[in-house]
């Protein structure tokens, strides 16, 4: 439920996402409790549907005005492409689940058909509701916040990508050719507009219209692009996800933090304002390597990646990460690739590989007389160096630094 204007209201996306989360828990555990809760959420949304223009729409029953994005103002009831796509996901998954009785699977299939029909209704004059439109470049959009005047919608990235996952689930269930084409067209749009979503060296943008950086949705963009790479088999979305990780990695290192080493020598320590301005500086000279605990590994706006040190002689200060002089031990910012990607060992280049992320792991030097392609299925920051986990042959399971690969 969603509290607005002092009252509780149904919230379609919140209920659908809770249903999808419970269905995922059921798949992981086999516990029917989670399946029951997932079905309860689906049934709730189905019961409150509006059948309009030959399709099922799932209403937001409260007035809404976006507090940051100008122009996003709705009077109840209103409809969102994000909720239409996520309803398609939940209904399609339930319709294909063997643990659901046959009659109920048929009911969820009918609900999926009704939700899918809403994604076939394009913006057309003053006819309402609609959630799908083409932009001025004839690119397909599923709008989280559709606005009637052409070209004035928010063009929200995360809501669009969540809806696209529903197209995949429906195609998996039905093998519907139009669902396949809409999925493909949506991916073309996401790929075309990635340069506008991305904000190099900082947080990605929430939407195309307002281009406002967002700390909350930046990791969501990373995760959604990674999922789209898995579903489509396209390395482009994996590479885009990696770029966002490098632009602004998740800052917190968790409750326990991470163990870091500052090598002997002189280090410059800083404190920063929120906008990246330096508020204080000092130097620290160490006669030997010193270990400490870092609580954050964060991009400072307009600057590089810094570690926030919690103990030892640098406690309370930030120090710029720079391999090997300042390094954070362990594996961070990991991404899996399905299918595996390829990199190339340059001819005659000696690459120092390591067996696993732990400090003190075995190493080996690999040199090929000619350029040699290798595959990898995971990327991570290990000891403050971006590395990839190799697959196949005698290098399977070994990690290689990306700055020595092509």
């Amino acid at each position: 439920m969603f509290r607005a204007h002092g009252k509780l209201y149904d919230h379609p996306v919140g209920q659908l996402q809770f249903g999808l989360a419970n269905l995922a828990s059921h798949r992981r555990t086999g516990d029917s409790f989670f399946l029951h809760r997932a079905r309860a959420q689906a049934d709730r949304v189905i019961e409150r549907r509006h059948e309009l223009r030959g399709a099922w729409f799932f209403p937001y029953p409260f007035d809404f005005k976006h507090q940051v994005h100008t122009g996003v103002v709705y009077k109840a009831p209103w409809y969102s492409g994000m909720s239409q796509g996520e309803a398609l996901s939940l209904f399609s998954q339930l319709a294909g689940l063997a643990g659901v009785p046959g009659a109920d699977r048929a009911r969820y299939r009918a609900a999926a058909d009704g939700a899918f029909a809403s994604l076939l209704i394009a913006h057309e004059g003053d006819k309402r509701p609609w959630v799908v439109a083409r932009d001025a470049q004839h690119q397909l959009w599923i709008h989280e916040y559709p606005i009637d005047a052409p070209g004035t919608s928010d063009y929200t990235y995360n809501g669009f990508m969540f809806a696209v996952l529903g197209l995949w689930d429906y195609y998996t269930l039905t093998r519907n050719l139009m669902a396949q084409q809409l999925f493909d067209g949506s991916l073309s749009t996401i790929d075309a507009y990635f340069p506008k979503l991305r904000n190099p060296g900082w947080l990605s943008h929430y939407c195309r219209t307002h281009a406002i950086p967002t700390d909350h949705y930046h990791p969501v963009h990373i995760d959604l692009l990674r999922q789209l790479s898995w579903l489509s088999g396209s390395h482009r979305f994996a590479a885009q996800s990696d770029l966002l990780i490098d632009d602004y990695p998740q800052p917190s290192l968790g409750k326990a933090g991470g163990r870091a080493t500052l090598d002997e020598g002189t280090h410059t320590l800083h404190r920063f304002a929120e906008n990246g301005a330096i508020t204080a500086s000092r130097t620290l000279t160490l006669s030997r390597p010193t270990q400490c605990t870092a609580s954050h590994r964060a991009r400072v706006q307009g600057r590089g990646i810094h570690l926030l040190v919690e103990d030892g002689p640098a406690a309370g200060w930030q120090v710029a990460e720079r391999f090997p002089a300042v390094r954070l031990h362990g594996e961070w910012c990991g991404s899996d690739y399905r299918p595996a990607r390829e990199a190339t060992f340059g001819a005659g280049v000696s690459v120092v590989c390591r067996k696993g992320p732990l400090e003190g792991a075995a190493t080996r030097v690999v040199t090929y007389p000619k350029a040699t392609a290798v595959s990898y299925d995971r990327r991570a920051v290990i000891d403050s160096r971006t590395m990839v986990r190799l697959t196949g042959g005698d290098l399977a399971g070994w990690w290689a630094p990306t700055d020595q690969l092509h």
Side-chain angles (χ1 to χ4, degrees), residues 166-188:
L167 290 170
W168 172 269
D169 286 330
Y170 187 71
Y171 174 73
T172 300
L173 174 70
T174 65
R175 291 298 189 264
N176 181 289
L177 180 60
M178 184 60 73
Q180 180 190 52
Q181 292 172 338
L182 288 174
F183 180 77
D184 184 68
S186 298
L187 294 190
S188 296

Side-chain angles (χ1 to χ4, degrees), residues 22 45 72 104 124 137 214 222 227 233 238 249 259 297 313 329 355 365 368:
N22 275 277
V45 172
V72 180
D104 288 326
E124 184 182 354
Q137 285 70 47
T214 167
I222 291 170
Q227 291 183 55
R259 192 163 52 83
R297 176 184 180 266
H329 300 295
K355 189 70 171 180
V365 178
Y368 291 102

Side-chain angles (χ1 to χ4, degrees), residues 94-146:
L94 287 170
L97 192 65
V100 175
D104 288 326
R105 288 203 305 273
R107 184 165 58 87
Y108 292 129
R109 167 61 191 267
D113 292 341
F116 178 66
S118 73
L119 302 181
L120 302 178
I121 302 172
H123 176 265
E124 184 182 354
D126 59 358
K127 296 180 180 179
R128 299 180 183 86
W130 62 272
V131 296
V132 177
R134 290 187 304 174
D135 64 14
Q137 285 70 47
H138 302 286
Q139 296 280 3
L140 168 68
W141 285 84
I142 303 173
H143 286 288
E144 180 175 354
Y145 298 112

Side-chain angles (χ1 to χ4, degrees), residues 32 75 79 117 127 141 145 175 185 190 196 210 270 302 337 341 379:
S32 61
K75 287 290 186 181
Y79 310 93
K127 296 180 180 179
W141 285 84
Y145 298 112
R175 291 298 189 264
I190 293 164
K196 291 186 177 295
H210 299 91
H270 295 295
Y337 303 111
R341 299 171 65 186
R379 176 185 188 263

Side-chain angles (χ1 to χ4, degrees), residues 377-397:
D377 65 357
R378 185 168 173 81
R379 176 185 188 263
V381 174
I382 297 175
D383 282 359
S384 291
R385 198 177 192 190
T386 303
M387 307 189 79
V388 292
R389 186 176 64 193
L390 306 175
T391 63
D394 65 343
L395 286 177

Side-chain angles (χ1 to χ4, degrees), residues 229-249:
S229 78
W230 296 344
L231 300 180
S232 66
S234 171
H235 296 315
R236 291 183 63 83
F237 297 110
Q240 291 166 0
S241 180
D242 289 346
L243 285 172
L244 297 189
I245 291 174
D246 293 341
D247 285 336
Y248 190 89

Side-chain angles (χ1 to χ4, degrees), residues 53-367:
R53 304 185 70 187
W56 290 17
F57 287 86
F58 310 101
Y60 283 76
F62 51 87
D63 295 346
F64 176 72
K65 179 179 180 180
H66 204 296
Q67 296 303 309
V68 178
H69 296 191
T70 57
V72 180
V73 181
Y74 292 102
K75 287 290 186 181
W78 55 279
Y79 310 93
S80 167
M82 183 175 178
S83 58
Q84 297 301 121
E86 295 209 294
L88 188 57
S89 272
L90 182 56
F91 301 155
S92 296
Q93 290 184 34
L94 287 170
L97 192 65
V100 175
D104 288 326
R105 288 203 305 273
R107 184 165 58 87
Y108 292 129
R109 167 61 191 267
D113 292 341
F116 178 66
S118 73
L119 302 181
L120 302 178
I121 302 172
H123 176 265
E124 184 182 354
D126 59 358
K127 296 180 180 179
R128 299 180 183 86
W130 62 272
V131 296
V132 177
R134 290 187 304 174
D135 64 14
Q137 285 70 47
H138 302 286
Q139 296 280 3
L140 168 68
W141 285 84
I142 303 173
H143 286 288
E144 180 175 354
Y145 298 112
I147 306 295
D148 282 328
T152 59
S153 291
D154 212 39
Y155 294 92
T156 307
Y157 296 115
N158 84 89
F160 183 12
M161 288 189 275
F162 274 118
V164 171
L165 299 180
L167 290 170
W168 172 269
D169 286 330
Y170 187 71
Y171 174 73
T172 300
L173 174 70
T174 65
R175 291 298 189 264
N176 181 289
L177 180 60
M178 184 60 73
Q180 180 190 52
Q181 292 172 338
L182 288 174
F183 180 77
D184 184 68
S186 298
L187 294 190
S188 296
T189 303
I190 293 164
D191 182 51
Y193 283 98
F194 176 76
K196 291 186 177 295
L197 178 153
R198 188 187 178 205
N199 184 16
W202 195 237
L203 293 160
S204 54
H205 296 134
Y206 177 78
C207 71
R208 196 188 86 184
T209 298
H210 299 91
I212 297 172
T214 167
D215 58 348
H216 178 74
Y217 285 98
H218 181 81
V220 176
H221 294 157
I222 291 170
D223 188 51
L224 285 166
L225 287 167
R226 184 184 300 131
Q227 291 183 55
L228 292 176
S229 78
W230 296 344
L231 300 180
S232 66
S234 171
H235 296 315
R236 291 183 63 83
F237 297 110
Q240 291 166 0
S241 180
D242 289 346
L243 285 172
L244 297 189
I245 291 174
D246 293 341
D247 285 336
Y248 190 89
Q250 183 65 28
S252 174
L253 299 177
K255 290 184 178 180
R259 192 163 52 83
T261 293
L262 279 61
D263 273 350
E264 61 184 86
T266 300
H267 302 274
T268 301
L269 310 179
H270 295 295
R271 292 189 176 122
F272 299 99
E274 189 173 335
N275 65 0
I278 296 173
T279 60
S281 298
R282 58 170 282 222
T283 59
L284 172 66
T285 301
L286 300 173
S287 60
R288 54 187 173 82
T290 301
Q291 291 198 342
C292 57
T293 302
S295 62
H296 289 74
R297 176 184 180 266
R299 168 79 64 186
V300 176
Q301 188 168 8
R303 305 179 188 276
I305 303 296
H306 286 66
L307 303 180
L308 176 58
V309 180
E310 296 297 328
D311 53 23
W317 294 85
Q318 294 192 58
V319 57
E321 182 180 74
R322 50 192 177 92
F323 175 86
V326 179
R327 58 193 185 276
L328 177 68
H329 300 295
E331 179 182 339
W332 307 91
C333 300
S335 291
D336 290 321
Y337 303 111
R338 311 168 191 166
R341 299 171 65 186
E342 280 197 349
T344 301
F345 280 67
V349 176
S350 296
V351 179
V352 180
C353 300
R354 59 185 291 164
K355 189 70 171 180
L358 297 178
E359 188 180 10
T363 62
R364 61 185 286 194
V365 178
V366 179
T367 309

